[in-house]
Amino acid sequence: MVAAPARIIFSFSSVEPLLIAASPAAARNSRQGRHRGQFIRPLAASNTLLGNDFDLQEGLTDVQKILHQRQKSNREMMVTIDNLKRLCVDHYFEEEIESAMSACMNLVHSNDLFDATLAFRLLREAGYDVSAKDDVLWRFTDNSGEFKLPLSKDIRGLLSLHDMSHMNIGGEALLDKAKEFSSKHLASAIRYLEPSLAEYVRQSLDHPYHLSVMPYKARHHLTYLQSLPTRDTAVEKLAIAEFQLNKLLHQKEMQEIKRWWMDLGLAQEIPVVRDQVLKWYMWSMTALQGYSFSRYRVEMTKIISLVYVVDDIFDLVGTLEELSLFTEAVKMWNTAAADSLPSYMRSCYKALYTITNEIADMAEKEHGLNPANNLRKAWTVLFDGFMVEAKWLANHQVPTAEDYLRNGVVTSGVPLTFVHIFIMLGCDQNSEALIDHMPSVISCPAKILRLWDDMGSAEDESQEGFDGSYKNFYLMENPRCSPTDAEAHMRSLIAREWEELNRECLCTRTFSSNFTQVCLNIARMVSVMYSYNKEQRLLVLEDYARMLIL
């Protein structure tokens, strides 16, 4: 999660306190999911917040009836499922969606581009073993392996093909061709489309569905649905209610985190550290979506904030000797270990120690295992990574690009954060293995973050410290390459990491769906966090914050 200080600062003035909180007990109960018609979100409390305009139970029942309509065609059923997923309300209807997947199985071999590609995407998202080439795309190519030109007029089919093309798990060259073909013809068609469809196409090209933050895409998808002549008002009303409830919950969580951060006082004691509480919370808000993870979002934000603080201490404040003492104190892991530290480090250490142990206690109460040793070990690995960078700088060493990236995966803070999430989700039995042998489901988002950050945002943000960048080291090793060449190389590496992440999350599925969803969500959030425009603003992040929090 670590990046250079951003210039854009969000205002908290529009964040209103909530009247009701999601208690840890309620969250624990709701994490069991839905059984026999019981929905995840507490309905009575939700209806109180929504007022008299919408009854959540009735809204859920109305959508259930739609899913149970037997006269629906396979295409209609698929489109309904897709809309529920795009609007982020599919979690209410997992059983119904699973039972309706036969519609996708029936259409994946269709000769209609829209039907076949949508069926493929829904099946792959659900973990079904489907081949992009053998099951779907060969029907739409000519003898030379190119996509048939008449397909360029099928806008709906092209949009679905474009969505499908980003689910490459590696070795699927035809999906690369699908991306190129659909992108080219959708871009050229925009000028001829009616305004709402043109905007939807533009959004799809700028923010591909599978690579994008789902709640952000959901608002744009709802706007598009509301522009159509034929509308599914029951689904739309449920989506609007869900947006409202989530926004209220996010505001309440944001207020709690803001109070914690101000009481902690690290920003006042160490003025050079970043003070970006809203930005940190948005990592957690995106990673762990839904009512049941409310407490985890708050705790995850605390961990992320401390990762940023520690990064700034290593980059901007501490001497090599002080940083070495700081690292040794973390390895000792007791309050007495902080006595020899400078006061600003002592405050940071105590905050880190306290928050980590609180999470360990929470995990033990909820899941029966105490993960304190594994959490300490995860912090030790992070500090060791920061020390490697500090020694490179102090000794004027220039690492290879590969060595820098390998260590940068650790110092991104992603592995440490994921270990905490893994433990909060109740998976502590295997958390030590995650630390000792980092799996691709963790390393891929970390590499994606490090490479995105190093493509220029750190320089754009005028970071005062120096910890190098992959781009700079790559250019040193390849003097004939231009900065543009280096960025192209980095984008190819990012694409490769996405393929590996897709393979793990969509096919291999070594870890729980909750955890792999977190990993996908973090990878999706990276481009939102690091796509600065020429004015050094994060326009998508600002828009996202207004939609979901402010």
Side-chain angles (χ1 to χ4, degrees):
M1 314 303 169
V2 174
R7 292 180 182 176
I8 181 68
I9 299 175
F10 294 106
S11 168
F12 295 97
S13 60
S14 59
V15 180
E16 300 176 359
L18 269 183
L19 299 176
I20 188 168
S23 70
R28 282 196 299 274
N29 293 335
S30 64
R31 271 192 299 279
Q32 303 304 314
R34 181 162 64 85
H35 182 63
R36 295 182 183 177
Q38 296 301 310
F39 296 99
I40 293 173
R41 192 185 294 275
L43 297 178
S46 298
N47 286 334
T48 300
L49 290 171
L50 290 170
N52 298 322
D53 296 332
F54 184 79
D55 184 282
L56 185 58
Q57 177 68 71
E58 290 182 8
L60 293 168
T61 302
D62 289 343
V63 177
Q64 270 188 323
K65 290 177 182 177
I66 294 172
L67 290 169
H68 290 150
Q69 287 177 2
R70 294 185 178 180
Q71 68 270 29
K72 266 186 174 292
S73 68
N74 286 333
R75 170 184 277 200
E76 289 172 329
M77 183 59 72
M78 272 202 323
V79 169
T80 298
I81 293 172
D82 187 39
N83 283 334
L84 292 174
K85 291 172 73 68
R86 287 180 182 271
L87 294 171
C88 300
V89 292
D90 56 302
H91 59 92
Y92 289 116
F93 310 103
E94 291 177 359
E95 294 172 12
E96 291 85 356
I97 290 173
E98 178 60 33
S99 64
M101 290 304 288
S102 58
C104 299
M105 297 298 294
N106 292 335
L107 287 180
V108 75
H109 302 295
S110 170
N111 290 319
D112 181 271
L113 182 63
F114 173 77
D115 287 348
T117 52
L118 175 56
F120 171 88
R121 180 168 60 78
L122 293 176
L123 287 169
R124 181 161 281 190
E125 285 174 352
Y128 287 79
D129 183 14
V130 284
S131 166
K133 179 180 179 181
D134 297 338
D135 290 324
V136 182
L137 295 181
W138 68 269
R139 292 178 179 81
F140 306 105
T141 57
D142 56 27
N143 293 333
S144 62
E146 301 299 323
F147 282 92
K148 298 173 183 177
L149 194 57
L151 296 172
S152 63
K153 307 300 181 184
D154 181 1
I155 299 301
R156 196 181 193 192
L158 286 175
L159 281 167
S160 185
L161 180 65
H162 188 258
D163 289 338
M164 169 187 175
S165 71
H166 292 88
M167 304 189 76
N168 199 323
I169 58 174
E172 296 183 300
L174 200 50
L175 280 180
D176 293 329
K177 283 189 176 182
K179 185 189 303 181
E180 182 181 351
F181 178 83
S182 58
S183 298
K184 173 185 174 181
H185 291 290
L186 285 170
S188 63
I190 287 177
R191 73 188 78 172
Y192 305 112
L193 302 176
E194 55 89 16
S196 61
L197 180 56
E199 178 57 28
Y200 189 74
V201 170
R202 194 176 292 109
Q203 265 283 330
S204 297
L205 291 173
D206 291 343
H207 307 286
Y209 175 69
H210 180 66
L211 306 185
S212 298
V213 174
M214 296 304 175
Y216 178 74
K217 291 288 289 184
R219 294 305 297 261
H220 290 286
H221 188 65
L222 177 62
T223 300
Y224 173 65
L225 291 180
Q226 291 172 331
S227 72
L228 298 178
T230 303
R231 295 170 56 183
D232 197 336
T233 55
V235 173
E236 291 176 17
K237 287 180 180 179
L238 177 61
I240 292 170
E242 184 80 353
F243 291 148
Q244 292 172 344
L245 291 169
N246 283 335
K247 189 167 187 175
L248 290 170
L249 184 57
H250 296 155
Q251 289 173 344
K252 175 254 175 190
E253 292 166 0
M254 187 64 244
Q255 287 288 355
E256 180 179 349
I257 293 163
K258 185 185 176 186
R259 284 193 298 270
W260 168 81
W261 176 248
M262 293 181 69
D263 291 343
L264 198 62
L266 288 178
Q268 291 72 39
E269 187 170 357
I270 319 173
V272 297
V273 302
R274 280 163 282 190
D275 187 358
Q276 300 172 336
V277 184
L278 179 56
K279 200 173 177 183
W280 301 335
Y281 170 69
M282 291 183 74
W283 281 114
S284 305
M285 181 186 76
T286 301
L288 290 160
Q289 296 171 16
Y291 172 89
S292 61
F293 294 131
S294 178
R295 173 48 47 191
Y296 295 171
R297 282 193 292 274
V298 172
E299 300 307 317
M300 178 181 170
T301 306
K302 294 177 183 179
I303 293 298
I304 291 171
S305 68
L306 293 175
V307 171
Y308 274 87
V309 170
V310 171
D311 181 52
D312 287 342
I313 287 174
F314 270 82
D315 279 354
L316 305 172
V317 185
T319 66
L320 189 61
E321 182 180 357
E322 290 172 342
L323 297 174
S324 181
L325 290 173
F326 199 10
T327 302
E328 289 305 311
V330 169
K331 292 179 179 179
M332 292 173 63
W333 202 252
N334 59 64
T335 52
D339 293 343
S340 61
L341 299 177
S343 61
Y344 73 92
M345 280 187 177
R346 192 157 55 244
S347 299
C348 179
Y349 178 87
K350 288 181 178 178
L352 183 157
Y353 180 86
T354 300
I355 296 305
T356 303
N357 284 330
E358 286 176 356
I359 290 175
D361 291 343
M362 180 181 71
E364 184 175 23
K365 289 177 183 177
E366 293 193 4
H367 308 300
L369 293 170
N370 191 314
N373 285 336
N374 289 339
L375 293 178
R376 175 198 58 78
K377 188 174 183 179
W379 277 109
T380 298
V381 171
L382 177 67
F383 271 70
D384 283 342
F386 282 139
M387 278 302 300
V388 168
E389 292 178 350
K391 289 176 180 177
W392 283 341
L393 180 60
N395 298 326
H396 305 287
Q397 287 182 263
V398 178
T400 65
E402 184 178 349
D403 286 344
Y404 166 81
L405 184 57
R406 186 183 302 110
N407 193 67
V409 165
V410 175
T411 58
S412 70
V414 171
L416 171 97
T417 304
F418 278 177
V419 168
H420 282 78
I421 295 171
F422 193 73
I423 284 169
M424 285 192 287
L425 291 173
C427 309
D428 183 51
Q429 301 94 320
N430 303 313
S431 59
E432 188 171 9
L434 262 65
I435 302 167
D436 294 335
H437 307 286
M438 191 186 306
S440 58
V441 75
I442 293 178
S443 65
C444 290
K447 284 184 184 177
I448 290 169
L449 186 151
R450 177 54 65 203
L451 290 166
W452 259 104
D453 183 24
D454 285 0
M455 270 197 291
S457 64
E459 180 180 337
D460 292 341
E461 292 168 340
S462 302
Q463 187 176 17
E464 295 177 20
F466 175 80
D467 52 6
S469 78
Y470 180 88
K471 181 178 175 181
N472 290 339
F473 295 133
Y474 181 81
L475 287 170
M476 290 180 194
E477 294 174 7
N478 300 273
R480 294 184 179 180
C481 287
S482 68
T484 302
D485 294 332
E487 288 195 12
H489 169 69
M490 293 167 75
R491 290 184 186 278
S492 71
L493 293 180
I494 290 171
R496 191 170 68 192
E497 295 304 318
W498 262 109
E499 290 177 0
E500 189 171 349
L501 182 61
N502 284 340
R503 187 161 56 250
E504 174 59 45
C505 294
L506 303 175
C507 300
T508 309
R509 294 180 175 247
T510 306
F511 300 94
S512 72
S513 59
N514 279 338
F515 185 66
T516 55
Q517 192 61 50
V518 168
C519 299
L520 277 172
N521 288 341
I522 288 293
R524 289 164 174 158
M525 188 62 174
V526 168
S527 62
V528 176
M529 283 290 187
Y530 298 119
S531 294
Y532 288 85
N533 68 3
K534 293 180 180 179
E535 289 75 39
Q536 313 307 323
R537 293 182 62 185
L538 294 164
L539 296 180
V540 175
L541 186 65
E542 293 177 47
D543 194 25
Y544 185 32
R546 281 191 295 268
M547 286 181 178
L548 275 295
I549 306 176
L550 302 178

